[in-house]
């Protein structure tokens, strides 16, 4: 696991902070299937919103990809392209 992070956070107003975390590689094992990312996964925090621009996990049996956000108001939006 390798993680790189950058952030700018005003101490007087934490909600105005912003940052990026990049994770690569990712390896998950679920029910004896190993899923690995294909490229770094980046999560961004800005204006009270957390977003993952895109991710792609591949296993022997297939690929899962998507993106999502958690808004400042707690609204969750997930996007999965159906092929």
């Amino acid at each position: 696991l390798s993680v790189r992070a950058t952030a700018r956070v005003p101490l007087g107003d934490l909600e105005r902070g912003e940052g990026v975390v990049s994770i690569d590689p990712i390896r998950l094992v679920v029910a004896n299937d190993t899923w690995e990312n294909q490229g770094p996964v980046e999560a961004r925090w800005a204006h009270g919103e957390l977003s993952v621009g895109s991710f792609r996990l591949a296993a022997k049996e297939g690929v899962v990809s998507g993106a999502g956000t958690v808004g400042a108001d707690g609204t969750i939006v997930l996007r999965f392209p159906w092929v």
Side-chain angles (χ1 to χ4, degrees):
L1 177 67
S2 174
V3 177
R4 178 179 46 90
T6 59
R8 289 186 295 174
V9 182
L11 294 178
D13 190 0
L14 297 179
E15 290 184 8
R16 288 189 28 224
E18 58 185 47
V20 178
V21 174
S22 180
I23 305 170
D24 187 40
I26 295 174
R27 184 173 184 259
L28 305 171
V29 178
V30 179
N32 294 324
D33 288 327
T34 300
W35 295 82
E36 296 178 317
N37 66 312
Q38 298 184 333
V41 175
E42 286 194 351
R44 296 182 176 277
W45 174 263
H47 310 290
E49 179 177 279
L50 176 65
S51 64
V52 174
S54 67
F55 67 89
R56 183 176 171 92
L57 298 172
K60 185 169 51 172
E61 298 298 324
V63 174
V64 173
S65 61
T69 60
V70 178
D73 63 355
T75 301
I76 298 172
V77 177
L78 300 174
R79 296 174 301 282
F80 296 98
W82 299 102
V83 186

